[in-house]
Amino acid sequence: MQYDVVVVGAGPSGATAAEDLARSGHSVAFIDRDGRIKPCGGAIPPRLIADFFIPDEQIVAKVNTARMISPSQRHVDIPIENGFVGMVDREHFDPFLRDRAEQAGAHRYTGTFTKIERDEDGTHVCYRDKLSGNSMRLTTKLVIGADGARSNVARQCVPGGDSIPYVIAYHEIIEAPEQTEFYNPKRCDVIYDGKISPDFYGWIFPHGGQASIGMGSLVKSVDVKQATADLRAGAGLSDCKTIRREGAPIPLQPLERWDNGRDVVLAGDAAGVVAPSSGEGIYYAMVGGRVAATAAAAKLKTGRVKDLQLARKLFMREHKQVFRVLGAMQNAYYRSDERRERFVSLCHDVDVQKLTFEAYMNKKLVKARPMAHLKIGIKNLAHLTRLVSPLRT
């Protein structure tokens, strides 16, 4: 059969696109390698839970505090008011999303994408079947590339898709202890320390009976396994049983173009939609899958190739300003330990805490308190120009 859309990759982005298209009555298939678990802290905000109907059984922990830790080991505990940050385990969350897409009517194929071919009969997505090892192909009208930060679909089809910058993320899932002096099963710890990561951060995130401990860096010489071992040692978690270890690239910025002007549109990490500064990706991946599905449906209805551009336009209309602010923050504060120290100091400010988490929980910048924004801007400038000590708030 010929499909309306074939989705390559079925993480949160691809599975969301496949489900949305199937529910809207389109014939859709998705190809997934299966068996791969992406390294991920697993944090999801309330807006994701509501917008994508995530059941409570997928939430393995509910976090009510975020701890920011500076290079000098000073810390700031930020309470999460009016809700919680949900934690998911990608080992179970991704299969849940794939199963839901399949239940909605999407056809599932397990294998590894190889290439896209075109002839008078249409567009053909070629892949190697996981079970048989045979080369297979699916005929389709459109392709959604949701196959990760080093997307082969993007490399083959979309201008700029072969040069997206990324950091390497690595984490270890461990059996978590009961609450200790350094570990709290209801708290996310974010470690800003050049000895752990010279250009990003480390994390310790609770996953119920387990925990994710990891870090990321663009610097190739960084020993990510040793940095993670140091994180574990500092939190008294070295002796906890290691369940699994995972590593993967995380893109640093959205691509300037998400479609090939013909029959391919990108989504999720393949399009570069991971938030700067925080590295948050699950919410933006699922939104990316949704707007890619919207663009594909529009193209199928109208026949206009230009409608594929809707994916990037819809995403940027809502999230461009947030990405711009987070990118500026990363460029300003992640370049040295002295800057990281100042950033954690800035987090003592109650207005910074409230505005940061209101924006995180609702996925938009808060504009209701102009005086708070002004005060934060002045403090931010004072720190960046060294007019105040990083030990002051």
Side-chain angles (χ1 to χ4, degrees), residues 297-307:
K299 164 65 170 63
L300 290 168
K301 182 178 181 179
T302 66
R304 293 193 300 257
V305 171
K306 190 176 181 179
D307 284 343

Side-chain angles (χ1 to χ4, degrees), residues 72-293:
S72 68
Q73 300 305 301
R74 291 189 310 122
H75 68 260
V76 179
D77 285 352
I78 304 176
I80 299 169
E81 300 177 351
N82 304 316
F84 62 88
V85 173
M87 307 302 296
V88 297
D89 190 328
R90 297 290 293 273
E91 180 182 13
H92 306 293
F93 186 65
D94 289 17
F96 160 76
L97 295 176
R98 288 192 282 268
D99 289 346
R100 193 164 69 173
E102 199 169 6
Q103 291 161 10
H107 292 183
R108 180 175 185 168
Y109 297 88
T110 303
T112 302
F113 167 82
T114 55
K115 60 183 177 180
I116 292 176
E117 297 179 336
R118 299 175 180 86
D119 58 27
E120 63 276 6
D121 295 323
T123 298
H124 310 287
V125 178
C126 304
Y127 70 99
R128 185 174 62 256
D129 183 75
K130 182 176 182 178
L131 185 61
S132 68
N134 293 333
S135 296
M136 312 288 285
R137 73 178 193 173
L138 304 175
T139 301
T140 185
K141 298 175 184 176
L142 295 175
V143 179
I144 292 178
D147 52 334
R150 289 184 287 201
S151 164
N152 284 322
V153 174
R155 288 170 182 266
Q156 291 181 25
C157 301
V158 177
D162 58 349
S163 57
I164 185 169
Y166 57 85
V167 301
I168 293 297
Y170 172 81
H171 82 158
E172 297 176 357
I173 296 291
I174 67 167
E175 285 187 357
E178 299 296 326
Q179 184 169 335
T180 68
E181 178 184 358
F182 300 106
Y183 176 78
N184 187 324
K186 292 189 176 181
R187 187 187 72 217
C188 284
D189 291 359
V190 184
I191 299 92
Y192 299 99
D193 186 344
K195 293 190 293 295
I196 299 299
S197 173
D199 56 339
F200 208 54
Y201 63 82
W203 70 81
I204 301 174
F205 287 178
H207 283 189
Q210 302 176 354
S212 164
I213 304 175
M215 51 78 65
S217 178
L218 182 65
V219 181
K220 294 182 179 179
S221 61
V222 170
D223 187 334
V224 296
K225 293 184 178 180
Q226 184 58 53
T228 302
D230 293 342
L231 270 176
R232 291 180 63 166
L237 301 172
S238 295
D239 294 333
C240 294
K241 179 181 177 181
T242 302
I243 298 171
R244 63 180 193 267
R245 298 177 173 88
E246 296 145 0
I250 297 178
L252 288 175
Q253 64 188 47
L255 290 175
E256 290 297 322
R257 183 170 175 177
W258 292 8
D259 69 278
N260 69 341
R262 181 177 181 179
D263 54 5
V264 173
V265 63
L266 304 177
D269 281 10
V273 291
V274 171
S277 178
S278 69
E280 182 192 0
I282 300 177
Y283 172 77
Y284 295 110
M286 295 180 76
V287 171
R290 178 150 289 173
V291 296

Side-chain angles (χ1 to χ4, degrees), residues 346-357 376 379:
L346 189 63
C347 290
H348 278 282
D349 189 282
V350 174
D351 285 315
V352 169
Q353 296 177 12
K354 288 183 178 294
L355 291 176
T356 297
F357 272 93
I376 292 168
K379 286 193 172 187

